[in-house]
Amino acid sequence: MVENKQQRFRFSEAPIWDLQRTYYEEEGMKAWKNDQVPQYITSNPMIATAYAEMIFGFLQDLSHKGDISEPVTILELGAGAGRFAFHVLHKLCELRDYAGIVLPPFRYVMTDLALKNIAGWQQHPALQSFIQQGMLDFAVFDAVSDTELNLVVARTTIREGDLKQPLVIIANYFFDSIPQELIYVGDGRIFECDVVIEFPENFNRLKPSEALKNMTLNYEHRPAPEYEEAVYPYRDVIALYQKELEDSHILFPVVGLKLLERLNQLSQSGLLLITADKGDHRLENWEFAEPPELIHHGSFSVTANYHAIQYVLEQRGALSHFPTSRHYKDLNVGCILMLELPMSYSNTRLAYRRFIERFGPDDFFGMKQWVDQQIETMGLQQILAFWRLGGYDAEFFIQSAQRISSLLPDASDEEILDIQSGIHIMWSSYYVMEQRYDLALDAGLLLFEMNMYEDAMQFLKQSVDEDEDEAVPTVLYCLAICSYELGLEEAALAYIREALVLEPGHKEALALLKCFE
């Protein structure tokens, strides 16, 4: 209960963090419905392929070292809707099967704070085969305090020192969403930057997302000599900020750093961190930084301080990779090897160079934003090329299906076959989310237009069978045509009659019916 309209808090202890937790616990997987919380940028097949390539390189490195008997645990923090995990596993299994080389076994563990998400993953059809093969498990995990992993499927607990192989940690849009300290550097001194929150009148009756949007945040400084004491665990990076920065507000990831320390204790061999966020690793980008503005999207996010994470772990012997030849725009992807002889993990580092540094998820997302605006002017070859680049992503197909349809009259036989092949590849790696598109319908109608009746019938039947609403007469008519062309006359008649029940005057269905008279 808020008694005073305005209250002052240490930034890491402000009620915004509790509201954040409550939002995700209440919404569960619905938090990502219709991109209420953005997910595409870190959940599309292209970024998943990049991560799978780095993990595959890491497995190769372990194999070359002779470490092939013990399984490797891949831990995803804040796995959200689950789409990213699915795509990574799908691609990682493809790479393993294609390479045909000896690798250590691996187990992917999806974690989140929300129990609803765990239940949703366990029941998701796309994840069942991975669960049955023993390569996917789940755990409720609180990044602020938990020290062990209680696996849901295996019904075992991973505690300190249990893992013989290094732990692989995936943290996408994670470090920007957990509590941070906020400090201010000025005149060579460190100040704590408290937040003064003005609450709306009806605060206690608002949903978490509404409460977060309607708060007003202001910031006030106070001396914080504890950061300058020699015993402060992150004194070196704080001293660097004192020396190099001026008039700067710094989000300092104490919770994130302590989390990595706890997770590092689970393994006897260190960790590999692969992380993507709206975060800065360059020190100069923190100079003259203003107080943080909360970016609202159902929940909220701030800018992750990758510089502090990189600096602290490097001081402890880690090797880190962040983009060096360019600046990120929307997504900064880093790879940190907290391992003995990190330079010896050459396949991991080469994968980062090829799939992040040369052309990575941030580049792809920037291109996609442009392509989204240009689809109606693009030719079929350009659409197919971008679709391949994005890993035959279903979302792009849905956006471009109408344009592809309009280009079919002038398509070559090779282009028609490429569309057909792409649809099947896309379908094999499709992950249904809360904002469920009728992908089967779009695919089926396009195949129907290309006179690929057997394939079209497969997708259109699935659309009709799974649609909770009444079937559309036109779709039933298309199924009738498919059946007729395939010599399935009884099925064709059944579809015609069903279409005519719904729309007695359907001209095309009536004309087709005459063929049976």
Side-chain angles (χ1 to χ4, degrees):
M1 177 70 93
V2 176
E3 296 179 0
N4 302 317
K5 190 176 179 183
Q6 192 176 87
Q7 292 186 40
R8 177 172 177 153
F9 303 89
R10 186 175 186 175
F11 189 71
S12 63
E13 298 171 359
I16 57 175
W17 305 107
D18 287 334
L19 288 168
Q20 178 100 304
R21 290 167 66 104
T22 302
Y23 171 79
Y24 283 113
E25 287 174 338
E26 290 182 354
E27 293 294 317
M29 294 177 74
K30 290 182 180 179
W32 291 270
K33 186 173 183 178
N34 298 320
D35 281 339
Q36 183 177 208
V37 175
Q39 55 81 27
Y40 179 82
I41 190 171
T42 55
S43 297
N44 62 76
M46 192 275 179
I47 187 174
T49 296
Y51 276 53
E53 291 281 0
M54 286 187 280
I55 295 168
F56 183 71
F58 187 64
L59 297 174
Q60 287 179 284
D61 288 328
L62 293 174
S63 180
H64 292 162
K65 293 173 182 292
D67 300 330
I68 58 173
S69 59
E70 293 292 329
V72 175
T73 298
I74 305 162
L75 178 69
E76 184 182 353
L77 299 171
R83 184 184 179 199
F84 175 81
F86 167 75
H87 283 307
V88 170
L89 279 169
H90 182 81
K91 185 55 66 174
L92 191 54
C93 289
E94 274 189 2
L95 291 169
R96 177 201 62 188
D97 296 343
Y98 183 83
I101 58 178
V102 177
L103 296 171
F106 54 86
R107 169 184 55 190
Y108 198 108
V109 180
M110 299 168 66
T111 71
D112 214 310
L113 186 65
L115 284 168
K116 288 182 179 179
N117 288 355
I118 309 294
W121 302 332
Q122 284 182 278
Q123 297 165 13
H124 200 290
L127 300 177
Q128 297 310 303
S129 65
F130 298 124
I131 297 171
Q132 291 161 11
Q133 294 174 68
M135 66 174 64
L136 179 61
D137 215 318
F138 316 100
V140 176
F141 187 74
D142 187 339
V144 176
S145 58
D146 284 351
T147 58
E148 58 189 34
L149 294 167
N150 296 303
L151 303 184
V152 173
V153 179
R155 297 184 181 179
T156 58
T157 299
I158 300 175
R159 297 185 175 88
E160 182 176 336
D162 281 352
L163 303 178
K164 294 182 174 60
Q165 295 276 35
L167 175 64
V168 179
I169 301 171
I170 294 172
N172 292 339
Y173 275 156
F174 181 78
F175 290 111
D176 69 340
S177 301
I178 58 176
Q180 326 261 324
E181 304 299 338
L182 180 60
I183 60 175
Y184 173 77
V185 183
D187 298 325
R189 296 181 61 199
I190 299 295
F191 298 83
E192 189 86 45
C193 195
D194 292 336
V195 58
V196 179
I197 298 179
E198 185 174 334
F199 296 94
E201 294 288 348
N202 57 345
F203 174 77
N204 293 309
R205 297 191 299 274
L206 296 177
K207 293 181 178 179
S209 59
E210 296 170 336
L212 287 166
K213 277 188 178 180
N214 286 283
M215 287 178 173
T216 301
L217 276 59
N218 292 292
Y219 298 92
E220 296 180 359
H221 306 155
R222 59 178 168 81
E226 62 270 22
Y227 288 97
E228 303 181 39
E229 295 176 0
V231 294
Y232 185 68
Y234 311 113
R235 176 63 194 137
D236 288 348
V237 68
I238 293 294
L240 178 68
Y241 293 162
Q242 285 181 270
K243 179 182 177 183
E244 300 293 337
L245 300 181
E246 180 61 38
D247 190 21
S248 304
H249 295 82
I250 310 295
L251 286 158
F252 197 71
V254 173
V255 169
L257 288 166
K258 288 184 176 179
L259 165 66
L260 292 174
E261 291 166 6
R262 296 197 310 275
L263 291 177
N264 191 41
Q265 294 299 311
L266 298 178
S267 170
Q268 302 172 20
S269 306
L271 62 82
L272 168 68
L273 171 65
I274 309 175
T275 179
D277 218 319
K278 178 171 55 66
D280 273 319
H281 66 280
R282 291 179 170 89
L283 179 62
E284 61 269 23
N285 288 349
W286 290 99
E287 189 166 16
F288 306 120
E290 296 291 332
E293 291 187 18
L294 304 190
I295 307 301
H296 295 283
H297 34 62
S299 58
F300 73 90
S301 61
V302 293
T303 300
N305 187 347
Y306 275 149
H307 176 270
I309 293 172
Q310 177 185 28
Y311 188 93
V312 169
L313 294 187
E314 284 185 347
Q315 289 289 98
R316 299 176 184 182
L319 175 69
S320 65
H321 293 286
F322 283 89
T324 57
S325 60
R326 56 186 167 79
H327 291 77
Y328 84 96
K329 180 181 179 294
D330 296 292
L331 193 69
N332 197 2
V333 183
C335 176
I336 300 179
L337 299 92
M338 188 73 179
L339 304 160
E340 186 177 353
L341 302 175
M343 283 292 291
S344 67
Y345 290 81
S346 56
N347 287 295
T348 310
R349 297 187 301 104
L350 283 168
Y352 182 87
R353 179 185 174 90
R354 290 193 298 265
F355 294 95
I356 304 297
E357 182 74 51
R358 188 187 69 84
F359 179 90
D362 186 55
D363 302 300
F364 173 76
F365 187 69
M367 283 186 64
K368 185 177 183 301
Q369 289 178 309
W370 179 84
V371 167
D372 288 346
Q373 304 300 316
Q374 305 299 321
I375 286 176
E376 293 307 312
T377 66
M378 292 171 68
L380 201 50
Q381 277 299 311
Q382 289 74 45
I383 291 173
L384 289 172
F386 190 77
W387 194 25
R388 282 192 293 271
L389 178 64
Y392 295 97
D393 176 41
E395 183 170 316
F396 179 70
F397 174 79
I398 290 163
Q399 290 173 309
S400 60
Q402 189 173 348
R403 175 61 177 169
I404 294 172
S405 174
S406 72
L407 296 170
L408 286 180
D410 298 319
S412 67
D413 291 344
E414 290 81 5
E415 289 169 334
I416 294 291
L417 290 171
D418 285 349
I419 294 169
Q420 179 193 31
S421 172
I423 286 173
H424 284 287
I425 295 170
M426 171 188 69
W427 189 258
S428 71
S429 60
Y430 179 49
Y431 185 87
V432 178
M433 293 181 58
E434 281 286 334
Q435 67 269 36
R436 182 179 179 275
Y437 304 114
D438 197 344
L439 183 66
L441 178 61
D442 285 348
L445 291 176
L446 203 55
L447 289 162
F448 177 80
E449 289 184 65
M450 298 189 298
N451 300 326
M452 294 177 169
Y453 298 115
E454 188 173 353
D455 283 5
M457 190 168 184
Q458 169 193 337
F459 285 98
L460 293 175
K461 281 183 67 176
Q462 181 147 344
S463 172
V464 170
D465 292 344
E466 293 185 357
D467 196 339
E468 296 177 358
D469 298 325
E470 193 174 68
V472 177
T474 301
V475 175
L476 295 170
Y477 167 74
C478 291
L479 279 166
I481 290 287
C482 291
S483 302
Y484 180 78
E485 293 290 343
L486 295 170
L488 305 172
E489 294 188 0
E490 288 188 14
L493 271 170
Y495 284 124
I496 293 170
R497 288 166 180 156
E498 191 176 348
L500 291 172
V501 168
L502 297 173
E503 188 179 330
H506 196 288
K507 292 181 180 180
E508 292 84 355
L510 288 169
L512 184 58
L513 183 61
K514 290 182 180 180
C515 296
F516 293 91
E517 294 177 353

